[in-house]
Amino acid sequence: MNPWLFFFRTELGISWRERRRVMLPLVFFSIVAFLFPLTLNPKGHLLARMAPGIIWVDAMLAVFLGLESLFRHDHEEGILEQWVISPTSLELRVLFKVASFWTVTSLPLLLVSPLLVLWLSFPLRGLGILMVGLFLGTVTLCFLGALGAALTLTLRQSSMLIAILFLPIATPILIFGAHSAVLAARQLDPRPALYLLATLFFLTVGIVPKAISAALRISYET
Amino acid sequence: MTVKTFFHRLGSPPYFYRISKPWGRAFAWISLILILVGLYGGLWLAPPDYQQGNGFRIMYVHVPSAWMSLFVFMVIAVCSFIALVWRMRLSYAVAAASAPLGAAFTAVALVTGSLWGKPMWGTYWVWDARLTSELILFFLYLGVITLNRSFEDQKTGDKAAAILALVGAIDVPIVHYSVDWWQTLHQGSSFKGLTSEIAPSMLWPLLVMMTGFMFYYGWLVLWRTRSELLLRESDRDWAQQEIRP
């Protein structure tokens, strides 16, 4: 078996052992979405118009929730140090680590998004585009968030700091993502927004692992 | 002395500490004169605007601040790059000294912009592309400052803030473009600060003010970098000698 695939599978296995980490973002994502109809007027019209924004902000917060623990365990157990000094590419390792993080925390969000679409009376014809957008967007958000987590690795109580670092940088993804859903709901062509989202996706996946690796190396340099 | 040797000498904190004092003094005087001349030109000599009356005069503070907010972020990004690639200690100090100044310029631009917006647009805030990206820039500044100060070891904080500044420098144009795109999707921009070309009698004080703000920043950044260097190098001989009376 390809060693990188093996690494990816091992990471997935470790996360699966701690099922709390899988369940927590999912439950959070659902509960936040469920609060909006209760606090706003639940009569369809307003809710349907706000649905793309609610779902996207909600998804971003759910991704953010897991970030603090992303590298923490590996750092405390000294595994991360082994990655840094190992001759194999740290960038690739980071890529697969974040990919596994996405699979564990964000893929369930995608799978549960049809339920939110029903709750928020978002038109069903926009569901496909919403899910494609959420796929591109959550992967990008995971990488940007991982950068925040890597920069604050050695700090205690880092989640507040991650929020300051991560949220401003994430705004373009939210803008393009939510608007692809808005366009789809209005039966307009959502491709401009999706293409821009895809551009950010490839840009992030290409560049940010390098920045994450540099950030992780800082913690072990003296 | 060639540019290259000058650059190499700048790598030495004591050398920078020595030459920055006269340079800072000069910058302070130049900025004081330019800002006074610019204010006189802007507040007294320039004629009132035919649409905005005297209200447009806040432009002489607003535009230079907004311009400096972007310029300082560029300085931080370039310094971060130099520091990460060539491991130049001075660069980290300049970046750390610049961040609060840039944040202050951004805050001034936002506040004066809001004050200008109320009489002219009828509201303190609109979700216009420029306003939104300026606000996000302010948050980025706060992130860089906080990250730099969060670590026990200053070197770690410097490097972490440098990486964030570089990513932020790539991000700022993307943010601006995305907000622009989002805004045009909703409605045409109904607000334009000055649609026509600025008349020469109004333009020259603005240019003088912008140059004055540049020198003002130059003065403050030299002064702050000196303190940053003393803090960072406090265990070295040269710093000990400087501190002792």
Side-chain angles (χ1 to χ4, degrees), chain B residues 126-145:
Chain B
V126 284
W127 290 99
D128 170 73
R130 288 186 177 187
L131 277 76
T132 315
S133 22
E134 192 74 7
L135 186 63
I136 289 171
L137 185 67
F138 184 63
F139 291 142
L140 268 175
Y141 270 121
L142 291 188
V144 170
I145 296 169

Side-chain angles (χ1 to χ4, degrees), chain B:
Chain B
M1 186 165 53
T2 62
V3 175
K4 205 177 167 196
T5 47
F6 178 67
F7 186 75
H8 278 288
R9 282 201 187 168
L10 272 188
S12 142
Y15 176 75
F16 174 85
Y17 193 85
R18 217 169 41 244
I19 64 160
S20 57
K21 198 168 188 180
W23 280 98
R25 283 240 168 91
F27 282 7
W29 283 111
I30 297 171
S31 74
L32 185 71
I33 294 165
L34 284 176
I35 287 176
L36 284 177
V37 169
L39 279 180
Y40 181 67
L43 299 186
W44 277 276
L45 296 183
D49 187 67
Y50 79 104
Q51 269 185 327
Q52 304 194 1
N54 282 321
F56 87 98
R57 292 183 199 279
I58 200 167
M59 169 180 89
Y60 295 111
V61 179
H62 174 72
V63 174
S65 313
W67 195 61
M68 290 308 295
S69 69
L70 288 170
F71 177 79
V72 175
F73 204 87
M74 208 178 68
V75 170
I76 295 176
V78 170
C79 281
S80 302
F81 184 78
I82 293 175
L84 283 175
V85 175
W86 289 290
R87 308 193 170 227
M88 196 167 155
R89 280 174 296 166
L90 178 66
S91 262
Y92 284 126
V94 173
S98 294
L101 297 173
F105 280 124
T106 318
V108 169
L110 282 169
V111 170
T112 53
S114 288
L115 291 177
W116 195 6
K118 181 63 184 166
M120 298 307 152
W121 301 340
T123 170
Y124 286 111
W125 187 264
V126 284
W127 290 99
D128 170 73
R130 288 186 177 187
L131 277 76
T132 315
S133 22
E134 192 74 7
L135 186 63
I136 289 171
L137 185 67
F138 184 63
F139 291 142
L140 268 175
Y141 270 121
L142 291 188
V144 170
I145 296 169
T146 323
L147 194 61
N148 197 320
R149 302 270 181 258
S150 295
F151 292 86
E152 273 176 37
D153 184 11
Q154 182 61 50
K155 281 178 193 157
T156 317
D158 279 336
K159 283 179 194 158
I163 292 175
L164 180 68
L166 282 179
V167 173
I170 301 172
D171 199 56
V172 165
I174 297 177
V175 167
H176 187 87
Y177 175 71
S178 69
V179 182
D180 215 17
W181 181 86
W182 162 68
Q183 183 62 25
T184 47
L185 190 75
H186 270 266
Q187 60 190 71
S189 175
S190 21
F191 310 107
K192 287 206 174 99
L194 293 164
T195 42
S196 59
E197 292 272 320
I198 306 177
S201 59
M202 292 178 180
L203 185 62
W204 73 261
L206 183 63
L207 295 178
V208 171
M209 282 298 277
M210 284 166 98
T211 326
F213 268 55
M214 288 283 279
F215 278 102
Y216 179 63
Y217 163 70
W219 165 41
L220 289 185
V221 82
L222 285 179
W223 239 239
R224 289 182 56 90
T225 306
R226 286 163 63 84
S227 334
E228 289 281 343
L229 282 178
L230 280 186
L231 275 173
R232 274 148 214 254
E233 312 257 311
S234 55
D235 52 346
R236 310 270 171 129
D237 283 344
W238 73 266
Q240 301 272 339
Q241 278 167 11
E242 291 293 343
I243 297 165
R244 261 189 221 120

Side-chain angles (χ1 to χ4, degrees), chain A residues 20 41 54-55 74 84 92 95-96 100 115 122 134 137 139 142 158 160 201 206 218:
Chain A
R20 190 173 54 88
N41 182 0
I54 295 172
I55 293 174
D74 290 336
V84 170
L92 263 178
L95 187 77
F96 281 100
S100 85
L115 180 68
F122 181 74
L134 275 177
V139 172
C142 283
S158 59
M160 286 306 292
F201 172 89
I218 286 175

Side-chain angles (χ1 to χ4, degrees), chain A:
Chain A
M1 194 183 199
N2 184 314
W4 291 113
L5 282 180
F6 182 73
F7 172 70
F8 181 64
R9 220 185 56 182
T10 315
E11 284 294 322
L12 280 187
I14 293 169
S15 307
W16 187 244
R17 286 274 182 78
E18 268 190 283
R19 244 153 283 180
R20 190 173 54 88
R21 280 179 64 185
V22 185
M23 292 309 292
L24 201 63
L26 190 61
V27 173
F28 177 85
F29 186 60
S30 316
I31 288 180
V32 170
F34 147 90
L35 289 176
F36 277 91
L38 299 182
T39 49
L40 296 166
N41 182 0
K43 294 214 178 77
H45 187 62
L46 176 67
L47 210 53
R49 279 180 60 189
M50 294 185 68
I54 295 172
I55 293 174
W56 268 88
V57 172
D58 193 4
M60 186 187 73
L61 292 176
V63 167
F64 166 70
L65 200 63
L67 288 176
E68 199 187 355
S69 56
L70 172 56
F71 294 114
R72 174 115 334 183
H73 183 72
D74 290 336
H75 174 61
E76 281 168 359
E77 302 290 316
I79 299 166
L80 208 53
E81 194 168 7
Q82 297 303 312
W83 292 2
V84 170
I85 60 175
S86 114
T88 51
S89 157
L90 180 60
E91 285 78 6
L92 263 178
R93 222 179 262 277
V94 163
L95 187 77
F96 281 100
K97 172 80 186 173
V98 179
S100 85
F101 174 74
W102 177 82
T103 316
V104 173
T105 59
S106 305
L107 187 60
L109 305 186
L110 280 184
L111 298 179
V112 83
S113 63
L115 180 68
L116 267 69
V117 162
L118 293 179
W119 281 355
L120 301 173
S121 50
F122 181 74
L124 271 178
R125 58 173 179 269
L127 178 63
I129 296 297
L130 179 76
M131 285 177 77
V132 172
L134 275 177
F135 164 70
L136 293 170
T138 47
V139 172
T140 318
L141 289 174
C142 283
F143 275 95
L144 291 176
L147 178 63
L151 285 172
T152 56
L153 184 66
T154 52
L155 298 175
R156 289 170 193 281
Q157 301 288 320
S158 59
S159 59
M160 286 306 292
L161 198 55
I162 295 178
I164 299 180
L165 307 184
F166 166 59
L167 301 182
I169 288 181
T171 37
I173 296 141
L174 285 190
I175 291 175
F176 295 138
H179 278 271
S180 67
V182 169
L183 291 172
R186 288 193 198 152
Q187 290 187 296
L188 297 168
D189 185 5
R191 277 179 300 177
L194 279 184
Y195 287 164
L196 288 166
L197 205 56
T199 311
L200 291 183
F201 172 89
F202 287 113
L203 202 66
T204 310
V205 173
I207 296 175
V208 173
K210 182 80 198 156
I212 298 173
S213 308
L216 290 177
R217 285 203 179 96
I218 286 175
S219 313
Y220 297 102
E221 278 174 14
T222 40

